[in-house]
Amino acid sequence: MLSWQPRKEHFLQMSELLSIPDRWTGLFSEDSISDDISNWLGRLDLLYGVPFNYLVPDERMLPIESIRFFYLDPNWMKILCDGACSIGRITSNDMTHDAVMKDTLHPISKRKSQSVRQKLIGGVQGREDIFEIDEPVGTRTGFLLRSALVDGWPGLEVMAFENQDHTENQRPLKILRMERLSKDILICIFAGVFQKLEIQEPAESLHFGADHSRSGDYTATLRGLGIGGFDVGIPIDQANLVVVPMRDESLGVVNVKGLANMLKDGIQKKQALGEEFTSAEFAVQLIESAKICVFDSTD
């Protein structure tokens, strides 16, 4: 065991060294930090591991069928990183050491956070490589969505743009994190400040659908079939909607035969039906492409 005097001298030497950060700041770099630590900090910079009740303290702040937009406060993120690195901080030397290290660790966490999502999806080359961004990373924005959409369409597509009226030359902001936090809650974080956000059903989806009216009914609009001057697929009369009959309203089961007869009768009255009403004509009436919801800074 060392005597008190050598330990005291060693303590004084370390105190002197730590008191002048410029002497040793250059000793620490990203290469001197282990990959496990730097990768963990990168995930932390995207709020991985942060309890949900820290993000949404009260359920009323994120009610059902709502979306909330947010900025990631750079100062708050620095404190988060500093707090995560404070384990074992006891002495004044520890404080001085961490005070210098935080100026190195925070930029590392920012850089590492840019590759977290790409690693999670398997490092696929292609779409993710398009959205490279320069260092240093600027302000980050995002949203929390609580909706049945999250559960019903796991493949929701999200794109955010810096300007409201994006052109062909304007590329979407890079998505740093996009993850379901629960059955019906989605979080998304972008590298930059978006002014326009598009949330779209999976583009490959093509299905039958009807509109849900404020009265609670489901309605369908009669569409032309290329007869009687009505173009195929173009609404004939949006003022007269067909109420979709239900076989079991509690389960959302449609009375398909009854609906087909109602659509057929409605088209005949408009003199827009040929000799027969087959499954092809039925499909034209109900086919739905992927829906898209757009938010911009004026909303």
Side-chain angles (χ1 to χ4, degrees):
M1 180 178 294
L2 295 173
S3 65
W4 163 245
Q5 190 62 28
R7 283 192 295 167
K8 180 179 179 181
E9 291 178 358
H10 176 72
F11 178 79
L12 293 175
Q13 290 173 358
M14 288 298 297
S15 297
E16 181 182 0
L17 178 63
L18 291 171
S19 65
I20 309 177
D22 292 340
R23 289 185 180 180
W24 56 291
T25 302
L27 297 176
F28 297 95
S29 64
E30 186 167 348
D31 295 335
S32 65
I33 308 298
S34 71
D35 289 338
D36 289 340
I37 294 177
S38 58
N39 289 332
W40 185 83
L41 290 174
R43 291 174 59 84
L44 182 66
D45 203 61
L46 297 177
L47 305 179
Y48 282 98
V50 178
F52 184 71
N53 62 324
Y54 284 22
L55 306 179
V56 184
D58 192 308
E59 184 180 4
R60 289 170 295 181
M61 299 176 67
L62 188 66
I64 297 175
E65 299 304 327
S66 69
I67 186 170
R68 296 292 182 263
F69 307 103
F70 61 81
Y71 285 82
L72 286 183
D73 185 342
N75 294 321
W76 192 90
M77 298 307 297
K78 286 182 179 180
I79 297 301
L80 176 64
C81 180
D82 183 54
C85 298
S86 66
I87 299 175
R89 183 186 296 164
I90 301 174
T91 67
S92 58
N93 282 349
D94 294 333
M95 293 286 292
T96 306
H97 170 275
D98 290 352
V100 175
M101 281 297 293
K102 69 179 181 181
D103 294 330
T104 301
L105 291 176
H106 189 60
I108 289 175
S109 68
K110 285 288 186 185
R111 285 192 292 273
K112 285 292 184 178
S113 65
Q114 295 184 53
S115 59
V116 169
R117 185 166 186 259
Q118 189 167 348
K119 290 179 180 178
L120 289 174
I121 61 178
V124 178
Q125 298 297 317
R127 188 175 180 85
E128 284 294 313
D129 298 333
I130 297 175
F131 309 132
E132 294 298 330
I133 53 179
D134 298 328
E135 292 292 347
V137 179
T139 304
R140 293 173 174 179
T141 53
F143 69 84
L144 281 166
L145 173 64
R146 184 182 182 188
S147 171
L149 285 173
V150 179
D151 183 37
W153 284 268
L156 280 177
E157 298 178 3
V158 174
M159 287 198 296
F161 302 89
E162 289 183 319
N163 300 318
Q164 295 181 32
D165 300 322
H166 68 273
T167 63
E168 294 181 357
N169 296 325
Q170 183 180 359
R171 296 179 298 182
L173 296 175
K174 181 176 181 179
I175 300 176
L176 298 176
R177 182 183 182 188
M178 182 175 175
E179 183 178 5
R180 288 207 307 175
L181 300 181
S182 68
K183 182 179 179 180
D184 63 345
I185 296 179
L186 176 74
I187 186 172
C188 199
I189 300 176
F190 303 95
V193 179
F194 65 86
Q195 300 294 329
K196 184 176 182 178
L197 175 69
E198 296 179 354
I199 302 177
Q200 183 177 348
E201 294 175 0
E204 66 273 12
S205 65
L206 198 63
H207 47 76
F208 285 176
D211 296 323
H212 195 200
S213 64
R214 293 184 178 180
S215 63
D217 295 325
Y218 290 92
T219 60
T221 303
L222 297 177
R223 298 172 180 173
L225 299 173
I227 300 173
F230 298 104
D231 295 330
V232 177
I234 303 302
I236 295 177
D237 186 359
Q238 293 184 338
N240 297 316
L241 303 177
V242 174
V243 177
V244 178
M246 306 298 289
R247 186 155 54 89
D248 190 330
E249 191 168 352
S250 62
L251 297 177
V253 179
V254 176
N255 182 345
V256 177
K257 183 177 181 179
L259 175 59
N261 290 332
M262 293 176 66
L263 291 172
K264 178 181 178 180
D265 293 342
I267 296 175
Q268 284 179 329
K269 290 178 181 179
K270 297 294 181 179
Q271 298 181 350
L273 181 64
E275 295 180 357
E276 56 183 352
F277 185 81
T278 67
S279 58
E281 285 76 20
F282 182 72
V284 170
Q285 301 304 311
L286 295 181
I287 200 79
E288 293 283 350
S289 59
K291 299 293 185 180
I292 183 171
C293 183
V294 179
F295 301 89
D296 61 45
S297 58
T298 60
D299 291 342

